[in-house]
Amino acid sequence: TSSTVLITGETGTGKELVAHSIHDLSKRRSNKFVKLNITNLPPSLIESELFGYEAGSFTGAVKSGKKGRFEEADNGTLFIDEIETLPLEMQPKLLRVLQEREIERIGNNESIQINVRIISATNEKLEELVKERKFRKDLFYRLEVVRINVPSLRERKEDIRLLAEHFIREYNMTLGTNVTGITDAAVVKLESYDWPGNVRELQNVISSAYATCDSYVIEEMDLPGRLVSGTAGNSVSQMKLSEMMNLHE
């Protein structure tokens, strides 16, 4: 379907990947997947980024005017990340798009019909923001037609080995190396950790272990020290550093 989707979950759980998957499995997959992270923009530019503008609409505007993200995503999907940071004064304008399926560029009063599926994501509890009057209730209901919660990594530790092996394969392809996997002992250490940074943190840990791995398999000793308290933890990298310093001398 083309239902509006709200994806919730902690930072680093992979909400954007879920949004990509929804688009790739939909009838819109041959059209654009356009994304916008609200926090990457100053409030004064959010409206022009979303709706576009006509030539000469404001100081610094491109002379030919510019399409906004909604027009770029026409017949495709627009993914709005960290939707909770959308300023209150902008929320009625997004609500109108959801209701009317049309936009107006800055500097032009003519409406432009659009056919866009909107997927938004948040790591906050929008219900609480609604109670605090920091987010419009009517917009929240419009965004939450279908809700998908992405669980934290500590809630799905059975995925840790699969994800670790996936990242290892990615690094092998990128770097042209041949690390064959990860030991059971190393996986046990990974599974005993709480992962406050979720999948993104796991990827960084595997990247670190991959860089210090001194064999064809990632071992417990290759993991960062915070994961292997009481063991060497990345001792290989320290050893290599010492060897390099000795060679230099």
Side-chain angles (χ1 to χ4, degrees), residues 16 24 40 48 107 115 129 139 163 169 182-183 201 205 212:
E16 185 177 330
D24 292 341
N40 290 340
S48 63
N115 177 13
L129 296 181
L139 178 58
L163 288 164
R169 287 193 298 271
I182 183 169
T183 65
E201 184 183 8
V205 164
T212 60

Side-chain angles (χ1 to χ4, degrees), residues 57-117:
S57 299
F58 53 87
T59 303
V62 177
K63 290 182 179 180
S64 58
K66 183 184 176 183
K67 284 184 177 181
R69 302 297 174 95
F70 276 109
E71 285 185 80
E72 287 181 23
D74 198 21
N75 295 313
T77 301
L78 175 61
F79 174 60
I80 306 176
D81 199 6
E82 303 202 49
I83 190 69
E84 74 280 359
T85 62
L86 185 68
L88 270 173
E89 63 271 18
M90 280 296 304
Q91 292 180 23
K93 296 181 180 182
L94 179 56
L95 179 63
R96 181 177 180 274
V97 176
L98 288 164
Q99 291 173 335
E100 307 298 334
R101 297 293 168 179
E102 60 183 30
I103 62 165
E104 291 178 3
R105 286 188 181 186
I106 296 174
N108 191 333
N109 293 327
E110 293 183 6
S111 296
I112 301 172
Q113 294 292 320
I114 55 164
N115 177 13
V116 176
R117 177 203 228 144

